[in-house]
Amino acid sequence: MKKYSRVLSILLSLVLLLSLAACSKPSNPSPETKTKGEESSETQADVTKAEDKSNDQEAVAGKAEDKSKGQKAIEDYKIVLILPGPINDQSWNATNYAGLLACNKQLGTKMEYVENVQSSDYESTFREYAERKYDLIMAAGSQFDEPAAAVAPNYPESTFCVVNGSRADSENVAPIFPKEYEASYLAGIIAGYTSSNGNFATIGGFPNKPMEHLLDVYEATAVRIAGERKIEGAKATRAYANSWDDVALGKQMAAQMIDSGADTLFVYANEVGLGSIEAAKNAGVNFVGFSSDQNSVAPGTVVASVLFDFENFYVWAIKQYTEGQLQGKMVHEAGIKEDIFKPIYTDSISQEIKDAVDQAVQDYKADKTDLTVLFKDK
């Protein structure tokens, strides 16, 4: 009996030990005992996270690269304006300088300028700034056309822009041209209405094509209006100073034309015009200012001026350049339709004359007027 009791106790002990062993087995596999499928899933997730991080880093790097390849800030462009005369000449050079100031103020450019550059130094001045890696080299006046054409091909990294230019032979030459004959059209209307005897005297700087065209339009318009006012024998007499800066010559030429009967003068020759205004003042005849507001030069003599609003013109041109629109091998024009010519009146100008000018502007903008038919070389 005792023997059976001992065997039973041993069997019960074995059962208890087996139960405890079963209870101690883990319910989930440890990381070291994960299945092949589970291991593959986690590895793929880690790879995806790594790729996402890499993509983010590449995107940031790409943005930085795009920024580094983008256009320069406008203040970082190296731009210079070359002027043939002084910035205070109350004429062409002052008008262009006003455009430079407008760009620096409105756009934030840091345009530089050099004034009183003589014709013998045009090419060397172009080369100087091109050698210094200037992005845009501007020059004020059609007299710079030939020097720009000669220098530009040797400096393809610079853009050459002649203000009032008409020659664009190279990929990096992009003249901007105010259609001056449209401005002289407005001046001709004023002259035609203010002249007493219909005898008009005009003086140009040099006989290049743009100058000839603007004087053609001025003279034809002034003579036509004088005729419509029943002034008999209306005529225009023209002369060229072959100079932009000889004030004494301008005074002498104007005095001779006044002695020949002219009562209304129109001069487009930079500083030469200042001498002509002095002669007109001494003789008590009318003068119509051009390119800048010359009314204050000789009040009572200068009856009105047609201002070239080169502030708008220059701002437009510089925007075109920095936006990549100032293309070479073409002339970029602007005029009445772009509102860059503005008549500035004195008290001697009647409302009738102002209305006539306003109507002429409206008709021109509506394509009712063709001024090119007045060019003598057509």
Side-chain angles (χ1 to χ4, degrees):
M1 191 70 178
K2 287 181 180 179
K3 181 179 180 181
Y4 289 117
S5 296
R6 188 178 298 114
V7 171
L8 182 60
S9 295
I10 292 171
L11 291 173
L12 288 173
S13 297
L14 290 172
V15 170
L16 179 61
L17 289 172
L18 291 172
S19 298
L20 290 172
C23 290
S24 66
K25 184 178 180 180
S27 60
N28 292 309
S30 68
E32 292 77 18
T33 58
K34 285 180 181 178
T35 66
K36 183 177 181 181
E38 289 172 333
E39 182 177 2
S40 174
S41 176
E42 182 174 276
T43 302
Q44 183 62 42
D46 291 341
V47 170
T48 301
K49 289 179 181 178
E51 287 179 348
D52 289 344
K53 185 175 181 180
S54 176
N55 289 338
D56 289 342
Q57 291 174 340
E58 289 178 2
V60 171
K63 289 180 180 178
E65 186 178 358
D66 288 344
K67 186 175 181 180
S68 69
K69 289 182 178 179
Q71 292 181 336
K72 291 189 291 188
I74 196 165
E75 65 269 17
D76 293 333
Y77 283 97
K78 296 175 69 174
I79 307 173
V80 66
L81 172 63
I82 302 170
L83 296 166
I87 60 174
N88 61 351
D89 68 348
Q90 296 179 296
S91 186
W92 172 250
N93 294 282
T95 298
N96 282 268
Y97 180 63
L100 176 148
L101 294 178
C103 290
N104 287 349
K105 181 178 180 180
Q106 296 179 33
L107 301 179
T109 52
K110 294 181 179 179
M111 289 181 66
E112 304 167 27
Y113 71 95
V114 54
E115 61 183 333
N116 289 315
V117 178
Q118 302 303 303
S119 58
S120 58
D121 297 325
Y122 289 169
E123 287 194 20
S124 62
T125 305
F126 275 134
R127 287 196 193 93
E128 175 188 349
Y129 285 97
E131 291 284 351
R132 292 164 60 185
K133 309 296 185 183
Y134 272 66
D135 299 295
L136 179 62
I137 303 172
M138 303 182 71
S142 57
Q143 63 267 43
F144 289 95
D145 265 340
E146 296 299 326
V151 174
N154 298 316
Y155 300 95
E157 297 303 315
S158 296
T159 297
F160 293 76
C161 176
V162 177
V163 183
N164 220 37
S166 58
R167 181 172 177 178
D169 301 332
S170 302
E171 294 291 347
N172 61 331
V173 177
I176 56 174
F177 185 76
K179 291 185 274 189
E180 296 170 315
Y181 63 85
E182 295 180 1
S184 68
Y185 173 55
L186 305 183
I189 295 171
I190 295 169
Y193 277 104
T194 54
S195 175
S196 297
N197 65 6
N199 193 331
F200 304 97
T202 63
I203 299 174
F206 286 85
N208 53 55
K209 183 165 290 187
M211 180 68 73
E212 291 172 351
H213 286 171
L214 77 89
L215 292 179
D216 289 344
V217 171
Y218 169 84
E219 292 168 353
T221 302
V223 169
R224 173 180 61 79
I225 291 176
E228 292 173 354
R229 293 174 54 218
K230 310 302 183 185
I231 296 177
E232 296 183 1
K235 66 177 183 177
T237 303
R238 182 188 307 186
Y240 290 101
N242 293 313
S243 172
W244 299 109
D245 54 15
D246 194 333
V247 177
L249 176 61
K251 183 177 180 179
Q252 178 185 350
M253 293 177 67
Q256 292 174 348
M257 299 172 95
I258 292 168
D259 288 343
S260 297
D263 79 336
T264 303
L265 273 65
F266 175 81
V267 181
Y268 190 28
N270 297 355
E271 294 164 83
V272 172
L274 298 179
S276 300
I277 292 175
E278 186 177 351
K281 180 180 179 180
N282 293 340
V285 300
N286 294 336
F287 191 98
V288 179
F290 198 63
S291 82
S292 65
D293 181 1
Q294 298 179 315
N295 295 356
S296 62
V297 177
T301 297
V302 182
V303 295
S305 295
V306 177
L307 169 70
F308 291 14
D309 189 351
F310 270 26
E311 294 184 14
N312 284 342
F313 190 39
Y314 267 67
V315 168
W316 166 79
I318 296 301
K319 282 183 177 179
Q320 291 284 102
Y321 172 71
T322 57
E323 293 171 4
Q325 302 300 315
L326 196 69
Q327 300 175 1
K329 298 200 78 171
M330 66 176 293
V331 179
H332 303 262
E333 295 185 323
I336 287 178
K337 292 182 179 180
E338 289 74 27
D339 295 316
I340 70 165
F341 302 132
K342 296 181 179 179
I344 309 295
Y345 303 110
T346 65
D347 292 340
S348 64
I349 300 299
S350 67
Q351 190 59 48
E352 176 189 14
I353 300 174
K354 295 178 183 178
D355 290 343
V357 172
D358 289 343
Q359 188 61 55
V361 170
Q362 292 177 27
D363 289 345
Y364 195 80
K365 287 184 175 181
D367 294 323
K368 296 181 179 180
T369 308
D370 181 8
L371 297 177
T372 64
V373 300
L374 301 179
F375 298 166
K376 291 181 179 179
D377 59 4
K378 288 205 70 172

